[in-house]
Structures are given as structure tokens and as C-alpha cells.
């Protein structure tokens, strides 16, 4: 069992830290939300007043933060964790950020002999709770092997994508495709309903046909069709529209830098940005269905 610090207890980070506690690790948590911290303490975690206090004596530090600027604020600069952590401390960042940001943090960590992995996740809140997440890791083979037993506690599929930043590249590609699939699924369901079809029946038809995809099969965006998904609880919880919009922005920026053509990804970015601008940023991303089915 390891002494682990977990920073960032949002919809994903909270359940991930909880699974580490359940596995018997000594987990110290930190988050600006007192309620989120209290929930983990009730499960057996310890807490501290600051991120530095939380990381004191840790063998491994894991972060799950909203965006690149938050990752840089936690790790870099004279007040960042990397300035204080002893050599050899394993650092895992599971935030979804720009690949170049991950490489920048990794460069500072390398200079201090601190093994660092960018390890964004896929699988949603359900996967975080069930401990079945997919981790997509970028970093050295040595750091990956050191981290894998810890990641196995929170995930089912653990991939080593390559060197620093590779995990982030794979993640933004995945989320761009997910946004495209969710937009297309919502559009198809709305068209069928406009023609008098039952959305549940249409969903089953498409699931068993060539239109089947993850968004349709396990995360149906039409309210009431599937139990246990955000669409059936007024799109509360889950993966926020604002976060999907951020990830699509990362994909767009990366495509510009690499002269890659992403016409479908660009359209999905515009759709989610429009949806967020209409006051839906704090809803689950499957609420893109509302663009086609106004309520």
C-alpha cells in the first residue's frame, strides 16, 4: 500500500480517490470544495489545509484538475509542488490539458528527478465510481511501470501511449470523436422522433445496426430512454458541457499547430460552444440533445 496525495475531487476525482481509499492506500486529499473533502474524509481519507501540506511525505501525488492553468498553478513556480517534492516522488496528472502543457510540467519534473506521467482518463463518472476507467499515459516506461499498480486500483484498461504529452494527444483525439458521436446520435434521434418514432425503439434499432456507438449504447442522450445516465436525471452530473468545450478547443488548437484537417471536430466544437453559450455549460455533455429537442 502506498501513501498517496490526491488533489482535485470533482465528479471524476472524488470517486477515483475513493477507490484508492477502498483499496487500503493511505490517501490524503485536498480540494477547494469543503463538501468534496468531507465526503472523502467520511470514507477514510485524511486531509490538510493546503496542497503542500497534503503532499508532505507522499510517495505519489495524483491531480485531477479542470484545465492546464490549474495544473501549472499546482506544480510550477516557486510555490508549486515540484519545487518542494523530494526526488523520486511519483507524480501523475490525470487532467485533460494541452500536450505542450504536459510536456512543460514534465520537463520541470525531470530536472528535479521526479517521475511524471500525464495520464488522462476515459470512462466517465460511472467508470470513475466503478474503478473501470481507461488511463492513457504519457511518460517514461519506468514511470509507467511504477504507476501501473496504483492506476490498476482506479482503472480497467491502462495504456502507455508514448513519451510525455502522448497521453494528452490520445485523449483529445478520443474526446473529439466522442463529441462527434454524441452530436450525431442526438441528431439522428431527433429526426426519428420528428417522424413519429419512439426514441427507445429507434435506439434499440440503431444499437443493433451499423449506427451503434458508445454514446448510443451506454450513454443515451434522449431523456427517459436509459436508466442511470444524465439524460434521465435532467442532465445533472456527468461530464460537463464546459469541459467538453474545453477539450474540443484543445483538439482545434492542436490541429492548427500540426496543420491537420478536422472538419467534423470543428463543427462539434461550434455546436458545443453554442450549447454552452445558451446557459448549458454546467450540464452533462449529452444535453447537446436539447439543440435538437428544445424543452
Amino acid at each position: 500500500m502506498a501513501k498517496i496525495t490526491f488533489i482535485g475531487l470533482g465528479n471524476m476525482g472524488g470517486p477515483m480517490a475513493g477507490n484508492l481509499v477502498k483499496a487500503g492506500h493511505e490517501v490524503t486529499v485536498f480540494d477547494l470544495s469543503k463538501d468534496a473533502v468531507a465526503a472523502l474524509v467520511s470514507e477514510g481519507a485524511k486531509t490538510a489545509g493546503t496542497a503542500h501540506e497534503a503532499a508532505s511525505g507522499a510517495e505519489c501525488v495524483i491531480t485531477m484538475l479542470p484545465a492546464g492553468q490549474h495544473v501549472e498553478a499546482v506544480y510550477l513556480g516557486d510555490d508549486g509542488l515540484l519545487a518542494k517534492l523530494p526526488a523520486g516522488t511519483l507524480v501523475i496528472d490525470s487532467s485533460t490539458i494541452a500536450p505542450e502543457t504536459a510536456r512543460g510540467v514534465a520537463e520541470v519534473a525531470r530536472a528535479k528527478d521526479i517521475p511524471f506521467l500525464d495520464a488522462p482518463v476515459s470512462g466517465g463518472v460511472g467508470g470513475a465510481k466503478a474503478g473501470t476507467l481507461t488511463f492513457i499515459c504519457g511518460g517514461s516506461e519506468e514511470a509507467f511501470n511504477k504507476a501501473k499498480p496504483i492506476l490498476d486500483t482506479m482503472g480497467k484498461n491502462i495504456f502507455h501511449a508514448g513519451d510525455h504529452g502522448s497521453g494528452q494527444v490520445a485523449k483529445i483525439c478520443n474526446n473529439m470523436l466522442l463529441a462527434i458521436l454524441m452530436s450525431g446520435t442526438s441528431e439522428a434521434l431527433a429526426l426519428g422522433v420528428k417522424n413519429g418514432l419512439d426514441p427507445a425503439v429507434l435506439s434499440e434499432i440503431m444499437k443493433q445496426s451499423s449506427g451503434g456507438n458508445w454514446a448510443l449504447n451506454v450513454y443515451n442522450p434522449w431523456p427517459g430512454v436509459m436508466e442511470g445516465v444524465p439524460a434521465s436525471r435532467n442532465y445533472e452530473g456527468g461530464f460537463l458541457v464546459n469541459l467538453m468545450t474545453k477539450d474540443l478547443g484543445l483538439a482545434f488548437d492542436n490541429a492548427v499547430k500540426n496543420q491537420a484537417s478536422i472538419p467534423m471536430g470543428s463543427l462539434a466544437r461550434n455546436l458545443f460552444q453554442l450549447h454552452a453559450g445558451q446557459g448549458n455549460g454546467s450540464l452533462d455533455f449529452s444535453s447537446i440533445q436539447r439543440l435538437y429537442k428544445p424543452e
Side-chain angles (χ1 to χ4, degrees):
M1 296 299 103
K3 187 175 182 180
I4 300 172
T5 294
F6 203 110
I7 300 172
L9 305 174
N11 288 340
M12 296 292 292
M16 290 166 66
N19 282 328
L20 292 171
V21 173
K22 292 174 186 175
H25 294 290
E26 182 182 335
V27 181
T28 301
V29 298
F30 178 78
D31 193 278
L32 296 179
S33 169
K34 293 181 180 179
D35 290 342
V37 170
L40 265 297
V41 170
S42 71
E43 295 180 25
K46 300 178 180 179
T47 188
T50 68
H52 281 289
E53 290 176 9
S56 178
E59 300 170 74
C60 173
V61 175
I62 303 174
T63 45
M64 174 60 93
L65 301 167
Q69 63 264 33
H70 305 106
V71 174
E72 291 178 326
V74 167
Y75 286 115
L76 302 183
D78 293 340
D79 293 327
L81 290 183
L82 292 179
K84 308 294 183 182
L85 291 174
T89 305
L90 176 64
V91 173
I92 303 170
D93 178 47
S94 288
S95 316
T96 298
I97 59 178
E100 54 268 28
T101 302
R103 295 185 188 111
V105 176
E107 184 177 347
V108 176
R110 184 188 296 114
K112 296 180 177 295
D113 198 24
I114 293 173
F116 174 83
L117 281 182
D118 53 284
V121 302
S122 180
V125 175
K129 292 179 178 178
T132 58
L133 291 171
T134 294
F135 282 86
I136 313 163
C137 304
S140 70
E141 191 76 31
E142 181 182 2
F144 176 75
N145 290 335
K146 189 175 182 179
K148 192 173 184 300
I150 294 172
L151 299 181
D152 281 335
T153 303
M154 301 178 286
K156 182 179 180 181
N157 301 296
I158 318 297
F159 292 102
H160 186 205
D163 204 357
H164 298 298
S166 299
Q168 300 297 344
V169 173
K171 176 61 188 295
I172 62 177
C173 291
N174 179 79
N175 274 22
M176 182 179 73
L177 179 58
L178 175 59
I180 293 168
L181 291 172
M182 185 59 78
S183 300
T185 296
S186 298
E187 193 170 301
L189 287 170
L191 178 61
V193 171
K194 282 282 188 180
N195 281 273
L197 296 183
D198 183 322
V201 173
L202 177 58
S203 293
E204 286 302 313
I205 291 170
M206 294 193 295
K207 282 167 63 175
Q208 302 303 322
S209 304
S210 55
N213 66 81
W214 187 89
L216 178 70
N217 296 357
V218 302
Y219 213 84
N220 196 293
W222 197 278
V225 169
M226 185 176 289
E227 294 182 2
V229 297
S232 293
R233 52 176 187 268
N234 203 30
Y235 300 108
E236 296 296 330
F239 184 58
L240 304 187
V241 170
N242 282 338
L243 293 178
M244 177 58 87
T245 302
K246 179 214 57 167
D247 291 355
L248 289 167
L250 293 174
F252 182 84
D253 291 344
N254 188 273
V256 171
K257 290 175 183 177
N258 289 282
Q259 297 184 324
S261 178
I262 53 166
M264 296 296 290
S266 297
L267 178 56
R269 177 180 179 239
N270 287 337
L271 290 171
F272 276 93
Q273 186 65 64
L274 173 64
H275 187 49
Q278 293 176 342
N280 301 297
S282 62
L283 298 179
D284 179 75
F285 82 107
S286 62
S287 65
I288 195 74
Q289 182 72 75
R290 289 184 173 176
L291 277 181
Y292 308 97
K293 178 185 176 291
E295 294 183 3

